[in-house]
Amino acid sequence: MKGNDQTAIIEEAQKVAITHFQEEYGLEVRITKQEMLPTYVASQVNMEGHVVGEEEQRFNISVNYKDWTTLNTFLSPELNDALNKV
């Protein structure tokens, strides 16, 4: 896969992840790390990030770039606690 293609996929995956957190939890998040897995492993981009202004409220999420679905969402205990208080 060419670098430009990979960059476009990662950018779109980030948009999907950010939209997921906005729609599902009403959160504004920042992606701080992303990794596109080799296609022979899985068709997904793994990302890490945190809630804007709350760096201890971290998450991991994967986006399948074949159908743009989110999977493997993990919320830190701090983020989970904050969501449970709402």
Side-chain angles (χ1 to χ4, degrees):
M1 182 171 298
K2 293 181 185 177
N4 288 345
D5 294 341
Q6 186 172 349
T7 299
I9 288 170
I10 289 171
E11 287 174 358
E12 187 63 28
Q14 288 178 337
K15 290 177 191 174
V16 169
I18 289 167
T19 299
H20 171 78
F21 280 101
Q22 288 172 336
E23 292 178 355
E24 188 74 20
Y25 304 107
L27 295 173
E28 185 179 348
V29 298
R30 177 167 289 121
I31 305 295
T32 57
K33 184 178 177 186
Q34 62 278 324
E35 173 189 23
M36 185 171 169
L37 296 179
T39 52
Y40 65 85
V41 175
S43 299
Q44 67 189 50
V45 178
N46 296 333
M47 291 167 273
E48 297 176 12
H50 61 84
V51 175
V52 172
E54 302 290 342
E55 289 193 26
E56 74 283 354
Q57 295 181 10
R58 303 194 61 73
F59 62 85
N60 292 44
I61 189 169
S62 298
V63 172
N64 179 314
Y65 58 81
K66 295 291 185 187
D67 61 9
W68 302 111
T69 56
T70 58
L71 39 122
N72 303 327
T73 303
F74 171 79
L75 308 178
S76 70
E78 294 83 1
L79 179 50
N80 207 24
D81 289 346
L83 290 172
N84 287 332
K85 290 178 184 174
V86 175

